[in-house]
Amino acid sequence: MSRTALRICPLCEATCGLTLTIEEGRVTRARGDGADVFSHGFICPKGASFGQLDADPDRLRRPLVRRGGRLEPAGWDEAFAAVEAGLRPLIERYGPQAAAIFLGNPNVHTMAGGLYPPLLLGALGTRNVFTASTLDQMPKHVSSGLLFGDANAIPVPDLDRTDHLLIIGANPLDSGGSLCTAPDFPGRLRALRRRGGRLTVVDPRRTRTAEAADRHLAIRPGTDALLLFAVVQVLFAEDLVAPGPVGEPVTGADEVRRLAADFPPEAVAAACDVPAEEIRTLARELAAAPRAVVYGRIGSTTVEFGTLTSWLVDVVNTLTGNLDRPGGAMFPLSATGRAPRPPRPGKGFALGRWRSRVSGHPEAKGELPAAALAEEIETPGEEQVRALIVIAGNPVLSAPDGDRLDRALAGLDFMVSVDPYLNETSRRAHVVLPPPPPSQSPHFDFAFNTLAVRNQVRYSRPAVPLDADRLSESEILARLVLCAGGHGGADPAAVDAMAIDAALGKAVADPGSPVYGRYRGELAAHLTGVGGDERRLDMMLRLGPYGDGFGADPDGLTLAKVLAHPHGIDLGPLRPQLPGLLRTRSGTVELCPEPMAAEVERLRRALGGRADGLLLLVGRRHLRSNNSWMHNIPALVGGSNRCTLQLHPEDAARLGVADGGLVRVKGDGGELEAPVEVTDAVRTGVVSLPHGWGHDRPGTRMSVAAAHAGVNVNQLNDGSRLDPLSGTAVLNGCPVQLTVVNPPATPS
Ligand SMILES: Nc1nc2c(c(=O)[nH]1)N[C@H]1C(S)=C(S)[C@@H](COP(=O)(O)OP(=O)(O)OC[C@H]3O[C@@H](n4cnc5c(=O)[nH]c(N)nc54)[C@H](O)[C@@H]3O)O[C@H]1N2
Ligand SMILES: Nc1nc2c(c(=O)[nH]1)N[C@H]1C(S)=C(S)[C@@H](COP(=O)(O)OP(=O)(O)OC[C@H]3O[C@@H](n4cnc5c(=O)[nH]c(N)nc54)[C@H](O)[C@@H]3O)O[C@H]1N2
Ligand code: SF4
Ligand SMILES: [Mo]
């Protein structure tokens, strides 16, 4: 007997709707859901491998608990008892800072990850909060915090309506798009060009996205802030700034003009290795296009000037009149987000409210740099980190200097991992709590709906019933919250009940809320859903911008209504959100925030350029991979080795190495050996090695990945280079030296 079930794909930010074929409780096929209101049937090879990923025999089924040094299968009650017994005495003896948390990328891809980590942080009361964001998009949060007063107000390119898209350091044809949720990115870019629009890609590599563009600028890594400043300079110098950009209150444009004066195209061309005339043309085209937008991703954030570059992206969008305008950079309005309110000054965004203990790194958005986790564990003293909770993270491979972090983890008094795999990080845990596979989990995109190029809402219930010996990830995390607070024996439903009570309490006290003045107990009684997580979703939908307001708008959204539309509900194209969205103290878009002005000094020093001769390392992503955890699926790792060092033919000739030869790569933090792939897809002076590989540590249980181990690029990085305002690790544009181990792999 076979049946089908709908499921939103959790494997990348595109959030495609899938139709799963299910036979005897197993997913045997995954297709794109042609009726999905957002993805219209699109699917990629990762989504098509959903069944294999889901049924991977190496996925853990039962918790593991360390006994006498060995991780052994255990029951759930025993595992949670071990967590409480491991965690609580350390917190009681050494205080809340003794516990740290690391939240990895899949937390933004699971429903539980969107609901419980804030409660866990509350229960722990620690400032030692580390996430994948400081290996990724934190610079964008900081620039949004400074510009708009809200670190989560990230404008996305209005892909379907723009006439000119400038992509900086993103390769959505392989990544699926990021901080821009757009299923079928390739189709949307084709549509842009079909309607006469232009696509420019700035990337040191000729990526598949660059190949699909009208123009590709192979910039020198790490210099995009200079290029964007030159664009700004041209906009002002040639009087191309849109009159009254956005028509909304913007302050600080004159200061930006003064800062940009030092960066005309001729001054930055050599450092960027992009001709001045190209930069000038770019600025003119952006200004001339009826609707244009600049969009930056990993190559614009995990770099030396990440926050500055992220800021300049939106400065250009603002100065060309494209901020908050159809076809420009717009703010999505998610169904579980905050309902719009009338404009008024906000509290603004504060940076560095506290600092890390060892190196004094400033916090950003309540987080400390992931690159500083190892030293916080290693360095003795008051408030040393002794216990660590890792949820859906593999920092031993994803963060700088994994060997050091690996040793640090081994020295912890207690560590728990919530992870389906025994991998490079979870192997160090004292307790591993495995969530169920995606087919047995519900799905709602709390994070990506706030970044989607079209407003819509979709929810998937589990496609397959939860196995009797498993717990949902929501229950696992709720029980962790209880353990962290020393209430391990309590009913996990109490965690959701408390969260609902607190949120409704706030809503009924808010004069702007549709439930103002009502009784929260009465509202809670109206909530539907099979578990606490679904009831919380119902509440968020009903209080959200399209919600029924618990009866105030009978046509509004509820969980029941969303469930009645299994292919989703389209909520229309993005709509302008300014000035109501602003939370700055001035109530304006603060175009020249003080910390940015200070960063410009640092940028000016970079104009001199760096000592040449060194090669600069950048990363890359492959359509069939996803960070560190999809290398255990035969269908996704088959074919030739993908963990190769790409090198331009001229550099290869200079070094005397041929395709397939072996080189030793030396970075600030260490060295490794990798096979060379000679290709003119990377520019001269640049080499590229992907991340997420290096599956050769003992004690893991990922048999396929171990047979395709590759090397860990982050071993080249000692983690000392950070974008200072955001604490984000510099993962791109790092200098490396190559020596040839095995020169020409001449075919014999
Ligand atoms: N050099 C270099 N390094 C990089 C990057 C780069 O471009 N270059 N990119 C950075 C970026 S953008 C990111 S986001 C980070 C990612 O860094 P991490 O989040 O640390 O790494 P992932 O490889 O995504 O690991 C995800 C973990 O979650 C587990 N997992 C998978 N599904 C689930 C689930 O449903 N529930 C739970 N609880 N766990 C699950 C996996 O088994 C794995 O252990 O890496 C960063 N590191
Ligand atoms: N298939 C696949 N999809 C993924 C992932 C994956 O690992 N595999 N990871 C997911 C995650 S966690 C994220 S955050 C997103 C990331 O999504 P993207 O940012 O689109 O992904 P990347 O392919 O890393 O693209 C970054 C590009 O920046 C370029 N670059 C490097 N340095 C510089 C520089 O200094 N300047 C400029 N202009 N460009 C530079 C690189 O050559 C690369 O092409 O992808 C997500 N989707
Ligand atoms: S593009 Fe992303 S969301 Fe869509 S099927 Fe592929 S992995 Fe899944
Ligand atoms: Mo990421």
Side-chain angles (χ1 to χ4, degrees), residues 8-18 39 42-48 175-176 182-184 623 630:
I8 301 160
C9 179
L11 303 178
C12 89
E13 298 182 34
T15 71
C16 301
L18 305 182
S39 63
F42 184 79
I43 188 169
C44 84
K46 285 194 300 297
S175 69
D184 192 12
L623 187 58
M630 283 185 201

Side-chain angles (χ1 to χ4, degrees), residues 533-573:
D533 50 4
E534 275 199 354
R535 288 161 54 79
R536 288 174 69 190
L537 174 59
D538 190 27
M539 174 187 71
M540 292 164 83
L541 290 168
R542 298 176 92 162
L543 292 177
Y546 314 89
D548 83 334
F550 288 83
D553 174 7
D555 295 331
L557 290 183
T558 61
L559 176 65
K561 184 165 178 183
V562 174
L563 282 169
H565 293 81
H567 304 284
I569 299 173
D570 181 40
L571 299 168

